[in-house]
Amino acid sequence: MSEPDTMPERDVMEYDYAIVGGGPAGLACAIRLKEKQPEAEICLLEKGSEIGAHILSGCVMEPGPLDELMPAWRDNPPAICVPAGRDEFRLYTRARSFRLPTPPQMHNAGNYIVALGELCKQLAEHAESLGVEVFPGFPGRHPLVEGEGAEARVVGVRCGDMGVEADGTPDGRPGPAFAAGVDIRAKTTILAEGCRGSLSKQLIQRFRLDHDATPQTYGLGFKELWQLPAGRSTPGLIQHSVGWPLDNPTYGGSFLYHLDEDRVYIGFVVGLDYADPRFSPFEAFQQFKHHPDMLALLEGGEIISSGARTISEGGLQALPRMDMPGALLIGDAAGTLNVPKIKGVHQAFRSGMLAAEHLAASGTPEGYDTAFRASAAGRELHKVRNIRPGFHGGLWLGMANAALETVLAGRTPWTLKTHADWDSLEARASARAHGEQAAMAANWHEERSLPPRDRLASVYFANTAHEESQPVHLRVADTSICATRCAEEFGNPCTRFCPVGVYEMVADEDGGQRLQINASNCVHCKACDIKDPYQIIDWVTPEGGSGPNYQTL
């Protein structure tokens, strides 16, 4: 699991606890650990250029866990913090929308619409004031594992090297500004990387943590911040929808959160278990924005920022074991999001605080998985465990199943299974028409009037930046498959499911096609790592600080 020591000697830093990830789970864990054990040496690594730079969430937050962690947070709220007001749940057709009863899980009285990245900055400041060492721009690249078999144990992480230049090989070569990544060694390592974390993925496989779980399933979410003409927003209004432009078999829907100062968050989430290889989630989001209801709201406004990321949707049955020798998984690194609520932040806080309390009390990661499943966070996931898998039968069957599960509060005597997203695509020759979905995705762009005009424009609004000379951080094990099997069987779906045009098929010198990877576009959503039907794409962390720089998202 560890990288061979072929580079110059590395600096080594030793801690009691090393936390990988500067999101709500990691920060909550760091703060609570320092409160419980003031003498403990704790570091927190964040791959973004600053805390919050890579944070993207809906985000309507249940404040209870944050009240427990930092009771005075309302005295200095984040830059965007709007009390939740009226809830609406709507069904969209191509030209109309219909208001439906709001599901109980989507009632938001007492909640807050917040910019999670801004909140995380404040949490990091609080953690530092307690003595936690916070290191932005330090991506964990390799897990450090000692021993073999039953004796294997995580002993820390190796940070990514800096100043590596591309030379045609996956790992590149040291450039003139090369600096070897430091080894962070710790008695306990806590992985809080968020959805599909690269270290978490390696360790889940290494320790077979998902042996008793059903496959994790994911959604790809888009979010934009808009400044509207005066008087158009209704601060606190929270709207969710299902329906158009998605067809019945395709899971997903929209959110629209009205902020103060004539601003709105608008977003769209698509389940990555969709079947049609011609489908483009990015195009579906742009279609939704051109629905008559959305055009009336957005036209004349200005897009401020945008982003995309994946979310873990598998629920309780897809949770891997969350503890292993020397390490823990917390928050979305494990998949603790409550899908029917469309909320994961309160669960991330809960899991991070519980991990800290467990470690402080027991001194070992062992037993944390059992403690989490028995906690309020685990019980919440148990209640809703069958709702998301029920949509594998389509929208209407899924809504009927959700109603049953809600009435029975999850007491049904069965647990539905999930299935992996990567094997859900139908071969192009046998793909269903999926109504008008694929045709609209291919042709609707001629009528566009709202930004971003295309996927490359969305890169600009995400403030994405990567050092162009570094090796490509999207590793494709066999690119010959792209021009042969994948082109024939699926029509290269990576060119459509990637929200920012990282993957492109271009002409080669022999008159054929080859894969071109535009790695500098990447917003670190991980959709390629998840949806690739051959599982030959491996997303690894790029040079420290690279990636998006989300503003008030």
Side-chain angles (χ1 to χ4, degrees):
M1 288 297 295
S2 302
E3 181 190 63
D5 283 311
T6 57
M7 295 290 186
E9 185 175 347
R10 299 174 184 274
D11 290 333
V12 177
M13 300 173 68
E14 297 190 0
Y15 292 89
D16 296 307
Y17 302 103
I19 300 171
V20 183
L27 289 164
C29 186
I31 291 168
R32 184 51 54 90
L33 270 173
K34 202 62 176 175
E35 291 172 344
K36 293 286 185 180
Q37 297 181 306
E39 73 288 351
E41 296 292 331
I42 304 170
C43 76
L44 184 146
L45 307 176
E46 164 55 36
K47 66 184 177 68
S49 58
E50 62 178 355
I51 297 293
H54 291 179
I55 295 293
L56 185 67
S57 174
C59 156
V60 178
M61 180 186 70
E62 289 188 11
L66 182 57
D67 289 337
E68 181 184 344
L69 179 68
M70 203 163 66
W73 73 272
R74 288 177 179 83
D75 297 338
N76 181 30
I80 291 178
C81 183
V82 179
R86 187 173 84 251
D87 289 300
E88 288 187 4
F89 184 59
R90 307 192 76 87
L91 171 68
Y92 277 84
T93 66
R94 188 165 191 172
R96 301 181 63 189
S97 69
F98 303 89
R99 188 168 178 181
L100 303 177
T102 301
Q105 296 91 352
M106 293 184 180
H107 291 171
N108 286 292
N111 295 337
Y112 290 83
I113 308 166
V114 301
L116 185 59
E118 298 301 310
L119 177 60
C120 285
K121 291 178 185 178
Q122 294 179 315
L123 289 168
E125 290 173 2
H126 181 53
E128 288 183 304
S129 74
L130 296 175
V132 176
E133 296 183 36
V134 177
F135 300 130
F138 281 77
R141 186 65 177 270
H142 304 278
L144 300 177
V145 180
E146 292 184 348
E148 296 295 334
E151 302 301 317
R153 177 181 178 82
V154 181
V155 296
V157 299
R158 174 164 294 171
C159 294
D161 298 331
M162 302 286 287
V164 178
E165 296 184 353
D167 65 352
T169 64
D171 294 318
R173 59 177 175 79
F178 175 79
V182 64
D183 278 357
I184 304 291
R185 298 183 67 88
K187 297 173 183 175
T188 302
T189 302
I190 299 140
L191 299 170
E193 300 175 285
C195 181
R196 194 72 166 194
S198 55
L199 294 176
S200 302
K201 185 177 77 167
Q202 295 176 61
L203 290 173
I204 288 170
Q205 180 180 11
R206 171 67 175 79
F207 289 93
R208 301 186 67 210
L209 302 180
D210 58 353
H211 176 69
D212 295 322
T214 61
Q216 185 60 266
T217 187
Y218 301 87
L220 174 59
F222 302 88
K223 183 181 181 183
E224 296 174 355
L225 172 63
W226 280 70
Q227 181 70 56
L228 303 180
R232 283 200 193 164
S233 71
T234 305
L237 176 60
I238 294 173
Q239 298 170 298
H240 292 99
S241 82
V242 293
W244 188 89
L246 302 179
D247 61 7
N248 179 65
T250 306
Y251 179 81
S254 77
F255 63 86
L256 185 66
Y257 303 153
H258 290 240
L259 311 174
D260 54 7
E261 301 178 7
D262 294 301
R263 298 175 294 178
V264 294
Y265 284 144
I266 182 170
F268 202 78
V269 179
V270 176
L272 284 176
D273 58 349
Y274 67 83
D276 192 335
R278 301 164 297 175
F279 178 59
S280 166
F282 175 86
E283 303 295 343
F285 178 33
Q286 305 313 311
Q287 288 172 20
F288 172 75
K289 285 161 49 182
H290 287 75
H291 186 277
D293 288 4
M294 294 300 103
L295 270 177
L297 179 74
L298 299 175
E299 207 159 25
E302 178 185 5
I303 184 172
I304 304 300
S305 56
S306 73
R309 61 158 291 187
T310 48
I311 59 175
S312 302
E313 293 186 343
L316 184 70
Q317 53 270 60
L319 279 183
R321 193 174 82 243
M322 298 171 72
D323 59 56
M324 68 201 90
L328 293 176
L329 299 171
I330 61 174
D332 234 15
T336 59
L337 179 136
N338 183 324
V339 178
K341 279 188 176 182
I342 322 179
K343 291 177 179 63
V345 174
H346 70 293
Q347 291 282 85
F349 282 135
R350 280 172 165 175
S351 67
M353 289 189 289
L354 180 65
E357 290 159 2
H358 176 82
L359 290 169
S362 68
T364 175
E366 185 178 357
Y368 172 70
D369 181 76
T370 300
F372 177 86
R373 292 171 194 268
S375 71
R379 293 193 300 272
E380 181 175 309
L381 291 182
H382 185 269
K383 274 188 178 182
V384 300
R385 69 194 184 283
N386 287 328
I387 294 182
R388 171 61 179 96
F391 283 89
H392 291 159
L395 173 63
W396 300 112
L397 182 60
M399 291 181 70
N401 175 72
L404 173 66
E405 291 287 338
T406 298
V407 169
L408 297 178
R411 290 191 291 270
T412 46
W414 56 77
T415 295
L416 299 178
K417 293 184 178 181
T418 61
H419 61 83
D421 296 326
W422 62 267
D423 66 352
S424 62
L425 284 178
E426 296 177 351
R428 192 166 53 161
S430 59
R432 294 188 296 265
H434 284 222
E436 298 180 333
Q437 183 166 278
M440 287 191 298
N443 301 320
W444 81 279
H445 63 276
E446 296 177 0
E447 302 174 3
R448 285 182 180 175
S449 61
L450 296 176
R453 308 295 176 187
D454 53 39
R455 284 182 282 180
L456 292 183
S458 73
V459 175
Y460 169 80
F461 291 111
N463 294 301
T464 297
H466 293 80
E467 175 55 55
E468 295 280 354
S469 66
Q470 68 178 299
V472 170
H473 66 279
L474 302 140
R475 307 291 179 81
V476 181
D478 183 358
T479 57
S480 68
I481 289 177
C482 306
T484 54
R485 285 182 59 195
C486 189
E488 295 165 7
E489 295 177 358
F490 300 109
N492 300 117
C494 65
T495 63
R496 288 179 289 281
F497 61 61
C498 174
V500 287
V502 167
Y503 301 95
E504 185 178 3
M505 297 302 294
V506 300
D508 64 17
E509 59 274 10
D510 298 320
Q513 294 278 301
R514 65 174 177 84
L515 177 68
Q516 176 173 291
I517 301 176
N518 305 308
S520 59
N521 292 0
C522 183
V523 293
H524 302 193
C525 75
K526 322 282 182 66
C528 57
D529 196 298
I530 296 163
K531 188 62 175 172
D532 161 39
Y534 302 99
Q535 289 295 276
I536 57 173
I537 298 177
D538 186 28
W539 188 98
V540 302
T541 53
E543 188 169 296
S546 295
N549 186 11
Y550 292 135
Q551 302 297 311
T552 56
L553 286 178

